[in-house]
Amino acid sequence: MNVSIHRAADLFCRCHYEKREAMSMESGFMHQLLQQLINGLSLGSIYALIALGYTMIYGILKLINFAHGDIYMVGAYIGYIATTVFHLPFFPSLLIAMAGAALVGMLIERVAYRPMRNAPRIAILITAIGVSFFLENGMILLASPQPRTFSSDFAASVYNVGGLVINSQQIIILGSTIVLMLALTYIVNYTKIGKAMRAVSFDADAARLMGINIDRVISMTFALGSALAAAGGVLVGIYYNSIDPLMGMAPGIKAFVAAVLGGIGIIPGAMVGGIILGIVEALVSGFISSTFRDAAAFAILILILLYKPQGLFGKNIREKV
C-alpha cells in the first residue's frame, strides 16, 4: 500500500514538473517571439523608409531606381559629417542629411534620368545601375572604404518592460519613422504638390494638359524619396554605430522586395511591406539562424512574384497591347 502511495506521489510530482516545464518553455517562446517582433519593427521601419522612395518613383516614372539604396548611404554620410565634424545634435543632423540627400536625388534625376526619359526601359534600368556604382565608388574615393563610427548624442539606454528589452535607439527609430510617414501622407494627400504627384501617377499626359509641370513634379518626387532614404541611413547609423560606402546595397535590394511585397507604386503598401519584411527577418534570425535572414527576404520576393505579383495592396490592371 505504501509503495502504491509513493508511486502515485512520484507520478504526480513528475507530471507536475513536466507541466511546469512545458509552461516555462511556452512562456519562454512567447517572450522570445515578442522580443523578435520588437526587433523586427525597428528593422522594418528602416526598410519602409527606403521602400517609400522606390514606390513613389515607380508610381510616377515606372522606373526601378536601383541607385536608391546608395542615396540611403549618402544620407548616412551627410549625417555622419554633421554629427562628427560639426558636432550637431541628432535632429538637426537628421534634417541636414535629408535636405542634402534630397538635393542629390534631384541632381541625379536631372543629370542621369531626365535625358533618358523617352529611352527604352532597359536603357534607364542600366543607367540606374550605373548611377549606383558611381555613388558607391565615388564615396569610396572621397571617404575611403573603411567603416566609420557614427557618433550620436543619444546614449544607449536600455529599458526592461515586462521582461522585454527595448533600447533608446529602437524608440527613436520607431518614433522618427512614424512622424516621417505621417508627414509624407499629409504631403501626398493634402498639399498642392502631393495632388500633382497623384495626378501625374494616374495619367501624366492628362496632367500635362491641365497645366501641371511634369518635370517639377518628378524632381520633387525624387527629393522626397531621397530624403526618406537619408533618414533611414542616419537612423541605421545611430543604431549600429557604423557606416560604410557599400552599406546601401543589401538594404536597397531588400527595400525593393518590401515595395514589391506591398504593391509597388502604392505608398501604404511600401510601409506595410517594409514592416512585414523586417519582422520576418527578425523571426528567422531569432528562431532559425541569422545566416538565412537574407535568403528569407528573397524567398518572399519569389513567392510574391509567383502567387501575387501585384503585391498585397496592388490590383490586376489589364493593358491593351
Side-chain angles (χ1 to χ4, degrees), residues 49 52-53 56 68 98 102 106 183-184 187-188 193-194 197 218-230:
L49 288 175
L52 284 169
M56 289 172 65
H68 193 65
M98 292 175 68
M106 294 170 68
L184 177 65
I187 290 172
V188 171
I193 188 64
M197 287 178 184
I218 292 173
S219 183
M220 286 301 300
T221 303
F222 270 85
L224 280 174
S226 300
L228 292 173

Side-chain angles (χ1 to χ4, degrees), residues 8-306:
D10 182 61
L11 181 61
F12 173 78
C13 292
R14 188 181 305 171
C15 291
H16 181 69
Y17 175 78
E18 290 176 353
K19 183 178 180 181
R20 190 168 58 183
E21 283 290 309
M23 291 177 63
S24 176
M25 289 178 63
E26 183 179 355
S27 175
F29 173 80
M30 290 302 299
H31 179 273
Q32 187 178 1
L33 177 62
L34 292 174
Q35 184 66 61
Q36 294 303 328
L37 287 176
I38 293 172
N39 297 337
L41 282 174
S42 301
L43 181 61
S45 298
I46 303 299
Y47 290 153
L49 288 175
I50 309 173
L52 284 169
Y54 272 115
T55 206
M56 289 172 65
I57 293 169
Y58 183 85
I60 289 180
L61 282 179
K62 299 298 182 286
L63 163 68
I64 303 297
N65 181 21
F66 281 116
H68 193 65
D70 296 295
I71 298 291
Y72 152 91
M73 175 270 296
V74 170
Y77 269 90
I78 296 174
Y80 166 81
I81 292 171
T83 57
T84 305
V85 177
F86 296 101
H87 305 289
L88 295 176
F90 167 72
F91 287 111
S93 299
L94 179 66
L95 294 176
I96 290 172
M98 292 175 68
L103 292 175
V104 172
M106 294 170 68
L107 179 64
I108 290 173
E109 187 276 328
R110 181 66 182 86
V111 174
Y113 296 141
R114 191 175 297 181
M116 304 286 292
R117 194 169 294 169
N118 297 319
R121 289 191 182 180
I122 187 65
I124 303 176
L125 181 63
I126 293 171
T127 301
I129 296 173
V131 172
S132 174
F133 281 113
F134 175 80
L135 290 175
E136 290 172 5
N137 289 281
M139 190 58 71
I140 289 174
L141 182 64
L142 291 173
S144 82
Q146 300 300 322
R148 300 298 181 99
T149 301
F150 199 106
S151 61
S152 173
D153 56 343
F154 285 101
S157 303
V158 178
Y159 306 97
N160 195 310
V161 181
L164 300 175
V165 178
I166 305 173
N167 61 45
S168 55
Q169 282 90 346
Q170 290 174 320
I171 296 173
I172 294 167
I173 289 172
L174 289 173
S176 301
T177 301
I178 291 171
V179 170
L180 290 171
M181 288 182 178
L182 290 175
L184 177 65
T185 302
Y186 176 81
I187 290 172
V188 171
N189 292 320
Y190 300 105
T191 65
K192 187 175 180 180
I193 188 64
K195 292 177 182 177
M197 287 178 184
R198 287 186 284 136
V200 173
S201 68
F202 185 76
D203 192 326
D205 293 331
R208 185 182 288 108
L209 292 173
M210 295 299 294
I212 295 176
N213 189 330
I214 302 295
D215 290 336
R216 180 172 176 269
V217 170
I218 292 173
S219 183
M220 286 301 300
T221 303
F222 270 85
L224 280 174
S226 300
L228 292 173
V234 174
L235 293 173
V236 163
I238 67 167
Y239 188 64
Y240 292 106
N241 202 31
S242 178
I243 60 173
D244 65 85
L246 302 180
M247 63 180 286
M249 292 178 63
I253 295 174
K254 291 178 182 178
F256 169 68
V257 174
V260 173
L261 172 62
I264 194 161
I266 301 171
I267 290 177
M271 298 178 186
V272 175
I275 297 297
I276 291 175
L277 183 62
I279 290 175
V280 168
E281 284 198 8
L283 292 177
V284 170
S285 298
F287 292 101
I288 302 176
S289 171
S290 59
T291 307
F292 297 101
R293 184 179 64 183
D294 295 341
F298 295 109
I300 290 174
L301 177 61
I302 293 170
L303 292 174
I304 285 292
L305 292 177
L306 285 175

